[in-house]
Amino acid sequence: MLQYSWLIPMPVLAGLLLTLLFGNKLGLKSAFVGICGTVASFCLAAACAPEIFGGGRYELSFIWFDDISFGFLLDNLSLILLLLVSFLATLILLYAYGYMEHEQGLLRFFAEVQLFVFAMLSVLLANNLLQAFIFWEIMGLCSYLLIGFWFIKPSAAAAAKKAFLVTRVGDVIMLIGIILLFDMFGSFDYQVMIDAVVAGNFDGMWLTVAMFCIFGGVIGKSAQFPLHVWLPDAMEGPTPVSALIHAATMVKAGIYLCARLFPLLAAAPAATDFMIVIGTVTALGTALMALVNCDFKRILAFSTLSQLGFMVVALGSLNYVAAVLHLLNHAFFKALLFMGAGSAIHCAGSNDIYQMGGLLKYQKVTGLTILAATVSIAGIPPFAGFWSKDEILLAAYHASPVAFWLLAFTSMLTAFYMFRLFFVAFTGPKLGDYHGHESPLPMILPLAVLSVFALGSGALTKPVSMLLTGEMHTPDTHLPMIVSVCAVALGVGASAAVYFFRVIDPAKIAAAFSPVHKLLLNRYYIDRLYEKISALVAVGLANLGDCGDRYAVDGVVNLVARANVKLADFCRWFDYHVVDGLVRGFCFVVSGCGVYLRRYALGNMQSYLALVLVGVVALLLAAMGGVMFL
């Protein structure tokens, strides 16, 4: 079966082609074409599982051009994520069937979603950096198209452009890193680079520079500080797109790439230290922003940023297994949260959680499934998020005590703002003017399925650890776990006191810390700073272009124009005095000859005969003179 593993993304591609051909006729039913494709991809991946998880590894490679290869790699890491992505994509497409029922542009939507999934599967299956980068860029294009799906909305169009431009910054830096690695190892192939690093055949300084550049691409795609600004605005897209970006594709690609290149990262300690700093800043900074936000989907977006920061810290702490475990758990509960958010918004008609309230009375399935995801992401034991977050905190504890304590504080904040979200939107009195109702079956069925995984995927901790490392890690201390549990309990208790029991008025807290509250609402003014910098750069470049246009381009044009005028004047003079002069001189000569000859062309026969006679006599004399001379 492994020899056919390269076909895993192909059913999704086939579904894309069928959607493009018949999507106008199928309409909303195009979702089922996509579902068939993702289910087929999942089945193909599952068919490879016994051999791969049994210790097998399959790689297919052939020469593309020159010495650059194109190929496919299937091992434990790639197969785990192939199963995850195809499974989640199936549920998201089923959810989209219910969510997009009354929307226009369904052909465009389902075609772009399938292309998105195909690109992610291809990134996971690629055996070299260049091939992965190609599909990495296709994902960037799809994110632009899907975030701006409602392009007639100025905010959606602006968010799409922002996502595209910001992620391009990281992608350019990443491309530089790929080129540096190719220059060092003479190949884009993962295994060639890893083998060289294991053997010690590398330049430490240049490897560090290259890994900084590779991580630059991860900062862009996985939305880490300071390129995190695009992800909250990406919520302008339809909710299935948000679930796809946050749970199954896009932001998880950066974490996967770091896990794939983990031996190279481990050989560049400066890069891993930098990752710990960036991950910690992102995790804490975005969690603080989630505390004050009122938009349901944006709170979840800030949560994604924070959880991705946890994963980056795990990678920087040289524990990529913890990062992959959290990636898996986060995929389940974040897909559930976003699809639950769509269901809640579908009911309330607003994204503002303070326009909801009491939704649990009307949406019991949605409310309970979101509660399941909330207890998991908060890290409450024994649910899924607890196990992977505990592994990350343990890794941070050994790598950087400062990062550990900041992440523990972030865990408390996570529990606080996630339960704040649940308490405000689903409990208490009805706050908005809405007619409550549960979402249709295609929307709530994926929620029910995902709630099982959101609660129980922690059971995958030991199997995944064994698959990725061949051994089960035993913690040498339980302090991180104790700190984590205490932090979560404190966060949940504080959230319940403020938003459920209403012991404390949150408005008074916001007023007491008004400057901080304003700072967090405005996202530390980073977006405005980027706008100012962009404006300054744009104005500066415009002024530079204006000077270049005036003094360089226009100068050359004016110089050429003056030269042309002088040349034209010379040509006019030459034409008048030389060319026309010759013509006039010739005419004068011809005219003079004509006047002179006219004297002898009088039409008198006697004159003509006299002239002939004179000529004959002259000829005879000349002839006689010649004879006498002889």
Side-chain angles (χ1 to χ4, degrees):
M1 183 62 200
L2 292 183
Q3 63 268 30
Y4 302 110
S5 59
W6 62 274
L7 292 171
I8 290 174
M10 294 303 136
V12 179
L13 180 60
L16 168 62
L17 297 176
L18 289 173
T19 300
L20 292 174
L21 288 173
F22 305 108
N24 283 326
K25 295 180 180 179
L26 292 172
L28 188 61
K29 294 179 181 178
S30 299
F32 293 110
V33 176
I35 290 170
C36 290
T38 53
V39 168
S41 293
F42 179 83
C43 291
L44 285 172
C48 298
E51 293 179 73
I52 295 297
F53 291 159
R57 183 179 184 275
Y58 180 74
E59 185 170 4
L60 173 66
S61 182
F62 55 89
I63 299 300
W64 188 6
F65 58 88
D66 291 337
D67 294 329
I68 298 176
S69 64
F70 189 96
F72 306 92
L73 171 63
L74 191 65
D75 60 3
N76 289 332
L77 176 61
S78 57
L79 184 56
I80 289 170
L81 294 182
L82 284 167
L83 291 168
L84 175 72
V85 170
S86 55
F87 175 70
L88 289 179
T90 301
L91 295 178
I92 291 169
L93 281 167
L94 177 60
Y95 178 86
Y97 175 75
Y99 187 88
M100 302 295 291
E101 183 178 2
H102 302 294
E103 296 293 339
Q104 301 296 320
L106 294 177
L107 166 61
R108 176 164 53 92
F109 175 81
F110 287 112
E112 290 165 2
V113 167
Q114 289 174 81
L115 180 60
F116 207 169
V117 176
F118 168 74
M120 183 62 184
L121 294 175
S122 299
V123 167
L124 297 175
L125 207 55
N127 75 337
N128 65 85
L129 264 175
L130 180 62
Q131 183 179 337
F133 184 75
I134 292 170
F135 292 108
W136 178 285
E137 289 299 292
I138 293 174
M139 279 199 297
L141 171 64
C142 293
S143 68
Y144 165 76
L145 295 172
L146 288 167
I147 293 169
F149 175 75
W150 290 313
F151 56 87
I152 57 174
K153 290 172 55 180
S155 57
K161 287 187 288 186
K162 186 176 184 178
F164 189 80
L165 292 173
V166 171
T167 53
R168 290 294 75 71
V169 174
D171 292 351
V172 170
I173 298 172
M174 178 179 170
L175 182 59
I176 295 171
I178 292 173
I179 294 170
L180 288 174
L181 290 174
F182 180 77
D183 184 62
M184 288 177 62
F185 302 111
S187 174
F188 294 109
D189 190 276
Y190 294 133
Q191 199 58 47
V192 170
M193 292 186 286
I194 291 171
D195 290 342
V197 169
V198 171
N201 300 324
F202 65 94
D203 185 311
M205 184 193 74
W206 284 111
L207 180 64
T208 300
V209 172
M211 296 318 295
F212 267 107
C213 292
I214 295 294
F215 183 58
V218 175
I219 288 175
K221 270 293 189 289
S222 294
Q224 296 295 286
F225 176 84
L227 299 181
H228 65 285
V229 294
W230 67 270
L231 194 59
D233 292 335
M235 299 305 97
E236 291 291 340
T239 297
V241 174
S242 302
L244 197 64
I245 291 175
H246 289 252
T249 60
M250 192 71 169
V251 297
K252 301 298 174 62
I255 305 301
Y256 164 76
L257 187 65
C258 287
R260 175 60 68 192
L261 296 175
F262 182 73
L264 278 68
L265 275 175
T272 54
D273 291 343
F274 181 69
M275 291 173 71
I276 292 175
V277 173
I278 292 296
T280 304
V281 170
T282 304
L284 178 58
T286 54
L288 289 169
M289 287 189 278
L291 291 175
V292 300
N293 207 281
C294 300
D295 186 290
F296 203 133
K297 290 173 65 177
R298 277 188 168 82
I299 293 171
L300 298 181
F302 288 125
S303 169
T304 296
L305 290 168
S306 185
Q307 299 306 306
L308 288 169
F310 274 84
M311 298 177 212
V312 170
V313 171
L315 291 166
S317 302
L318 301 182
N319 191 338
Y320 83 98
V321 176
V324 173
L325 285 169
H326 201 55
L327 184 155
L328 294 173
N329 292 334
H330 180 265
F332 290 125
F333 55 65
K334 190 49 63 74
L336 173 54
L337 284 168
F338 268 107
M339 289 192 276
S343 178
I345 293 167
H346 182 75
C347 170
S350 173
N351 286 35
D352 191 337
I353 59 175
Y354 286 101
Q355 295 297 319
M356 297 179 181
L359 283 178
L360 191 59
K361 299 175 184 177
Y362 307 98
Q363 292 190 309
K364 288 191 168 32
V365 175
T366 299
L368 291 175
T369 54
I370 285 185
L371 179 60
T374 300
V375 299
S376 183
I377 192 174
I380 296 176
F383 303 113
F386 164 77
W387 300 102
S388 54
K389 192 174 289 187
D390 180 55
E391 291 290 330
I392 293 174
L393 289 173
L394 180 62
Y397 178 77
H398 290 295
S400 171
V402 174
F404 163 71
W405 287 108
L406 290 176
L407 289 183
F409 179 65
T410 304
S411 296
M412 183 192 71
L413 296 179
T414 302
F416 181 87
Y417 69 70
M418 287 306 303
F419 274 93
R420 165 185 176 257
L421 172 66
F422 180 79
F423 290 144
V424 173
F426 289 92
T427 65
K430 181 179 178 181
L431 301 175
D433 183 18
Y434 63 85
H435 302 286
H437 60 85
E438 186 58 272
S439 297
L441 183 63
M443 291 177 65
I444 62 172
L445 180 59
L447 301 183
V449 173
L450 283 171
S451 63
V452 176
F453 287 92
L455 293 172
S457 61
L460 298 174
T461 301
K462 288 185 178 180
V464 171
S465 298
M466 290 296 295
L467 288 172
L468 295 179
T469 63
E471 58 185 17
M472 188 60 206
H473 174 65
T474 302
D476 54 358
T477 175
H478 294 292
L479 176 63
M481 182 184 68
I482 296 171
V483 171
S484 174
V485 171
C486 292
V488 170
L490 184 60
V492 174
S495 184
V498 176
Y499 296 103
F500 186 74
F501 297 108
R502 305 184 187 279
V503 176
I504 306 171
D505 186 359
K508 292 182 179 179
I509 300 175
F513 296 94
S514 179
V516 177
H517 186 267
K518 186 177 180 181
L519 179 69
L520 296 176
L521 274 180
N522 288 279
R523 307 182 195 177
Y524 309 107
Y525 297 98
I526 293 175
D527 292 80
R528 296 189 186 182
L529 175 64
Y530 286 169
E531 289 172 5
K532 294 289 185 182
I533 293 174
S534 300
L536 288 173
V537 171
V539 171
L541 290 175
N543 290 332
L544 179 63
D546 180 59
C547 291
D549 181 63
R550 287 186 181 185
Y551 301 108
V553 178
D554 286 356
V556 171
V557 171
N558 292 334
L559 179 63
V560 172
R562 286 193 291 270
N564 282 334
V565 170
K566 295 295 183 183
L567 181 61
D569 289 341
F570 173 76
C571 290
R572 184 172 59 84
W573 177 90
F574 185 83
D575 180 68
Y576 182 80
H577 294 285
V578 178
V579 179
D580 288 355
L582 288 173
V583 172
R584 288 193 298 270
F586 182 74
C587 292
F588 178 78
V589 172
V590 172
S591 177
C593 292
V595 171
Y596 179 78
L597 292 174
R598 190 172 58 185
R599 299 176 183 176
Y600 304 99
L602 302 175
N604 192 328
M605 186 63 70
Q606 290 87 346
S607 299
Y608 294 159
L609 290 175
L611 289 172
V612 170
L613 182 59
V614 171
V616 170
V617 171
L619 290 173
L620 288 174
L621 290 174
M624 290 174 62
V627 173
M628 292 176 65
F629 179 77
L630 291 172

